[in-house]
Amino acid sequence: MNALIEQFFNLEVMAQAFPFLLKGLGVTILLTLLLTPLGLALGLALALGSSARHRGLRRAVRIWVNGFRGLPPLVLIIIVYSALPFLGLRTPPLMAVVIALWLNSSAYYCEILRAGLGSVPAGQMEAARATGLGRAQALRDVVLPQAVRNVLPDLASNTIELVKGTSLASIIGVSELLHMASNARSVVYNASPITLAALMYLAFLLPSVRLTGWLERRRRGA
Amino acid sequence: MRPILDIQALYKSFGDAEVLKNINLKVGEGEMVFLIGPSGSGKSTLLRCCNRLEEPTSGAIWMDNTNLLAGDTDINRMRQRIGMVFQGFNLYPHMTAEQNVMLALRRVQGKSEAEAREIARRELDRMGLAERFGHYPSQLSGGQQQRVAIARSLALGPRVMLMDEPTSALDPELVGGVLEAMREMKAAGMTMLVVSHEMRFAREAADRVAFMQAGEIVEYGTPAELLAREGGRARAFLGGEH
Amino acid sequence: MDLSRLIEVYFNAGVAWTYLPDLLHGAWVTVSLSVLVIAAGLVLGLAMALLRLVLPRWGVEVMRLWVDCLRAVPPLAVILLLYFGLPSVGLSISAFWVIWITLTLILSAFAEEIFWAGLEAIPAGQWEAARSTGMTQRQTLADVVLPQAFKICVPQLTNRTIGITKNTALGTAIGMPELLNEAQTALSFSGNATPLIMAAIGYLIIFLPLMALAGYLERSMSWGKTA
């Protein structure tokens, strides 16, 4: 039992590692703040693309989205990081992670927003157009707000997955939270920094998971 | 007439609210007894106590020589002999009409697949559903669904049927078929305890009517007796157009 | 950039042929690990959801906390924690089983939540109808409630299952020779990106049929309604 505490909950080690982990947390938050809007924007574009009139475009979007949903995000990161340089394209680790997770998360956001758009009755668009609104206006002011409302729990849940996914950046050396913890561990030969990192993730994400559950129950009740 | 169902001094409370107060009611063999009264008077709760979907607070319910509320009564065994039909049908949506009827025959009575199917088809046929054996509930009208639900209960060979507003969820034009099925059940000698708002049907078909108010049976008798009782509340209720 | 150079670097037949056996071995590890995670995770998740039907209130709260923690923590953090921490307390577990334990626990947490929502969505009338015909609670659960709950669960459950199973690729972080790891090794030996492309195609071959299966399952449980 003492060995367990010593190895996983060593307060002294945690205190030493804390400043480094805090820096890592900054990078994790930065990645999240960057990737969430990017992923949502591309996801929305893809969702609109999957309902485009042009059949070829629709099909291309489906292949693109399913392809990126079928690949583990880590595989994408490694490809962007290790395979693109063969073309002479140098991708620094941070950029590789942003590109890979952007492609990955936008594919998932696309599926969610597509379901959301599908959940809004066609009459809404027709009614808006009948009052003289343009297609883009009707989409922005009438359809999209309802679509987002209907899939809010799924969007929240996917954003949590995105935050968790940023931890994959540690594998190619981006100095985010888990990477800092992993480094600290290898210096002190003690797993407590990783425990601390896990607790820091929980501090942010556990309330988010609870919030998502609440949103989900509210949607079921409605 | 020997009572099949004998309810004695039955009480039921939800928390502080007493919803059934000192209910005493006998249902004789082959009798059709209607429970009527304003909503919230405890009719459905009383019905649901009779197969212990609701647990009464105190009292006794005798069926033949068994007290359903006794601690050592195997309620699952007794429930095969107490059929129940619900307002919302409650058919299993993932099973065909035939499978709906077969399930308890197989699981509870341990009948073979072939035997269960034969019984299911016979009961569905009696309900006029010979063409509907393989249909899922979503492919049937409300009236057909309710008749499948009745067949599901009858297939187990019950001594008494509890019917909880069996026609309330139906479109008006589908009510007749279900009432017709109930008439035929009565003609075949089935004992029935019915909660219903079909007053015209009650006047014509009921042997006895119990009028409930605020958790008590306040009037009891044949439809003719209640209709003849000057100033009784049941009279206004039972005389209504429905 | 000319086409022959592109093919040379990413679609090199010679490199592909040389490393195919290694990659196939890696794919085998990925598939077998995935199957073990899916089987154990779903069974454990269902067991937990059923347990929740009979647990006292405080027990439910403890279970919810456990489940939510597993949903909130990055899998890689758990993997590193177990892989590097456990040997120091005298528990040596191979990389394969560390991944299996981690992903099984995480999948079971998500599955519990989804199964529970499915059970809750079945109207009380279904229970009552079955109980009124003399069926026991267990029979009602098995024959009436669970088949309907499964139908509700399938879309979310398959999405989650596939999403979590893809994390078998994290094995490469602790040197387990699964598909991605073999590809990375081959890449550094050959100085050519073809093995990575092969791995990507391998993952698509493994996971795209699973995604299609999810759609098929949904349609096959429409029970007379046109889905």
Side-chain angles (χ1 to χ4, degrees):
Chain A
M1 190 63 204
N2 273 339
L4 206 68
I5 291 173
E6 166 68 25
Q7 179 58 220
F8 289 100
F9 297 97
N10 191 320
L11 291 180
E12 205 177 319
V13 170
M14 284 185 181
Q16 278 179 339
F18 187 66
F20 296 97
L21 266 57
L22 217 50
K23 265 188 212 155
L25 181 63
V27 176
T28 295
I29 292 175
L30 185 78
L31 279 170
T32 305
L33 293 181
L34 191 64
L35 278 164
T36 306
L38 281 178
L40 277 168
L42 182 55
L44 179 60
L46 290 168
L48 294 174
S50 4
S51 60
R53 275 196 210 101
H54 192 283
R55 198 155 139 233
L57 179 62
R58 270 203 321 260
R59 196 163 288 172
V61 169
R62 296 313 309 151
I63 291 174
W64 172 275
V65 167
N66 280 332
F68 285 115
R69 286 203 314 147
L71 281 180
L74 182 56
V75 173
L76 262 179
I77 290 176
I78 302 285
I79 288 178
V80 175
Y81 180 62
S82 320
L84 281 191
F86 286 90
L87 280 178
L89 290 169
R90 287 259 142 246
T91 38
L94 192 66
M95 194 202 273
V97 164
V98 169
I99 293 173
L101 291 183
W102 187 25
L103 293 173
N104 175 259
S105 67
S106 60
Y108 282 97
Y109 279 130
C110 163
E111 288 302 272
I112 295 167
L113 288 170
R114 198 164 70 101
L117 290 171
S119 72
V120 180
Q124 291 294 313
M125 177 57 106
E126 286 166 9
R129 295 301 299 276
T131 61
L133 265 64
R135 211 180 123 75
Q137 284 174 317
L139 194 66
R140 193 191 60 203
D141 296 332
V142 178
V143 177
L144 208 51
Q146 300 181 58
V148 168
R149 218 186 90 100
N150 291 348
V151 293
L152 199 57
D154 308 301
L155 290 174
S157 161
N158 196 49
T159 306
I160 292 172
E161 290 303 309
L162 174 58
V163 179
K164 285 156 65 181
T166 59
S167 67
L168 300 178
S170 66
I171 292 177
I172 59 169
V174 173
S175 53
E176 49 68 71
L177 178 53
L178 189 58
H179 185 71
M180 296 306 249
S182 189
N183 273 356
R185 183 210 63 80
S186 62
V187 172
V188 295
Y189 283 102
N190 185 295
S192 302
I194 300 181
T195 308
L196 183 58
L199 290 174
M200 288 164 83
Y201 280 113
L202 285 184
F204 277 88
L205 294 181
L206 193 55
S208 313
V209 165
R210 288 270 153 114
L211 177 72
T212 309
W214 179 78
L215 288 172
E216 184 74 50
R217 277 190 299 280
R218 203 185 58 161
R219 174 170 66 181
R220 276 204 299 272
Chain B
M1 198 180 296
R2 195 168 66 94
I4 286 190
L5 206 57
D6 188 354
I7 302 169
Q8 297 176 352
L10 194 76
Y11 285 82
K12 166 72 183 173
S13 317
F14 291 112
D16 288 338
E18 209 166 43
V19 291
L20 292 179
K21 293 171 219 164
N22 192 24
I23 300 288
N24 293 279
L25 183 68
K26 287 179 173 45
V27 182
E29 183 145 22
E31 261 191 329
M32 186 186 239
V33 175
F34 267 64
L35 298 173
I36 65 171
S39 60
S41 57
K43 310 178 298 275
S44 282
T45 305
L46 173 55
L47 202 69
R48 291 158 59 84
C49 282
C50 293
N51 65 354
R52 277 175 61 185
L53 282 182
E54 302 286 357
E55 288 293 342
T57 312
S58 67
I61 300 177
W62 291 90
M63 196 179 123
D64 296 331
N65 290 317
T66 308
N67 180 2
L68 297 178
L69 307 186
D72 57 353
T73 299
D74 177 357
I75 191 66
N76 288 328
R77 202 170 59 82
M78 297 305 291
R79 278 174 177 163
Q80 297 171 54
R81 299 156 69 182
I82 310 168
M84 184 161 210
V85 171
F86 301 84
Q87 178 178 358
F89 328 137
N90 298 351
L91 290 183
Y92 313 132
H94 60 304
M95 295 182 185
T96 62
E98 186 178 79
Q99 289 166 336
N100 261 279
V101 182
M102 286 169 67
L103 183 65
L105 291 168
R106 302 267 289 133
R107 292 286 183 274
V108 182
Q109 299 192 339
K111 291 198 161 44
S112 73
E113 171 110 24
E115 201 180 348
R117 174 164 290 120
E118 194 192 314
I119 296 171
R121 293 194 166 176
R122 192 181 65 218
E123 293 299 335
L124 287 169
D125 197 16
R126 270 177 56 188
M127 287 290 135
L129 295 165
E131 307 297 313
R132 301 282 183 266
F133 295 156
H135 285 55
Y136 285 94
S138 63
Q139 298 167 321
L140 299 171
S141 74
Q144 291 169 333
Q145 288 189 54
Q146 191 60 296
R147 281 181 281 148
V148 173
I150 292 172
R152 176 172 68 181
S153 289
L154 288 180
L156 297 168
R159 301 266 286 136
V160 57
M161 287 286 279
L162 310 173
M163 312 196 79
D164 191 2
E165 306 200 25
T167 56
S168 299
L170 296 177
D171 292 335
E173 72 272 20
L174 300 176
V175 169
V178 172
L179 296 184
E180 188 52 39
M182 290 169 72
R183 240 179 237 117
E184 278 167 23
M185 284 158 66
K186 179 174 158 60
M190 178 56 67
T191 308
M192 285 183 269
L193 187 55
V194 183
V195 172
S196 178
H197 295 293
E198 300 288 340
M199 290 308 152
R200 189 188 311 200
F201 183 62
R203 288 196 299 269
E204 161 212 332
D207 296 300
R208 297 269 189 285
V209 175
F211 179 75
M212 290 185 71
Q213 200 173 353
E216 292 177 279
I217 294 178
V218 290
E219 291 183 57
Y220 181 74
T222 64
E225 286 167 0
L226 294 195
L227 284 170
R229 195 166 295 166
E230 291 293 332
R233 274 210 66 188
R235 178 186 180 178
F237 223 86
L238 192 58
E241 262 316 291
H242 297 293
Chain C
M1 168 66 45
D2 62 307
L3 195 63
S4 64
R5 169 90 181 114
L6 199 73
I7 291 174
E8 157 82 29
V9 172
Y10 291 108
F11 302 95
N12 188 312
V15 173
W17 186 247
T18 309
Y19 291 100
L20 187 62
D22 290 347
L23 289 176
L24 282 179
H25 178 260
W28 166 245
V29 173
T30 294
V31 168
S32 49
L33 182 54
S34 298
V35 169
L36 290 175
V37 166
I38 292 172
L42 292 183
V43 168
L44 185 58
L46 179 59
M48 285 161 69
L50 294 179
L51 186 63
R52 196 162 157 182
L53 285 170
V54 294
L55 231 42
R57 208 184 149 67
W58 64 267
V60 171
E61 287 306 316
V62 171
M63 188 189 276
R64 276 192 57 206
L65 185 64
W66 168 253
V67 161
D68 287 348
C69 280
L70 283 168
R71 290 172 40 159
V73 76
L76 185 56
V78 181
I79 289 168
L80 296 181
L81 202 58
L82 295 182
Y83 186 70
F84 292 114
L86 287 183
S88 320
V89 293
L91 273 170
S92 256
I93 306 177
S94 72
F96 185 90
W97 294 109
V98 164
I99 305 275
W100 178 75
I101 291 170
T102 305
L103 297 186
T104 295
L105 289 179
I106 290 176
L107 176 56
S108 73
F110 278 99
E112 189 276 333
E113 187 71 20
I114 296 169
F115 279 132
W116 178 253
L119 288 175
E120 266 195 325
I122 305 304
Q126 292 290 310
W127 286 93
E128 291 177 353
R131 297 306 301 274
S132 79
T133 61
M135 286 169 67
T136 63
Q137 178 151 359
R138 191 176 300 189
Q139 288 170 331
T140 305
L141 198 59
D143 292 321
V144 175
V145 175
L146 278 181
Q148 297 181 57
F150 276 131
K151 182 197 164 161
I152 299 172
C153 294
V154 159
Q156 282 201 50
L157 205 55
T158 45
N159 278 339
R160 281 298 181 191
T161 301
I162 294 167
I164 290 163
T165 309
K166 282 193 294 193
N167 285 320
T168 52
L170 297 182
T172 193
I174 53 175
M176 188 190 62
E178 45 70 60
L179 184 52
L180 178 60
N181 188 257
E182 293 284 7
Q184 284 182 291
T185 309
L187 177 133
S188 56
F189 273 111
S190 64
N192 187 291
T194 305
L196 262 188
I197 303 301
M198 292 168 72
I201 294 170
Y203 278 109
L204 291 179
I205 291 176
I206 296 171
F207 287 113
L208 284 183
L210 272 182
M211 285 157 65
L213 177 71
Y216 168 77
L217 278 177
E218 258 175 275
R219 284 190 300 278
S220 72
M221 287 194 284
S222 59
W223 304 324
K225 272 171 259 182
T226 42

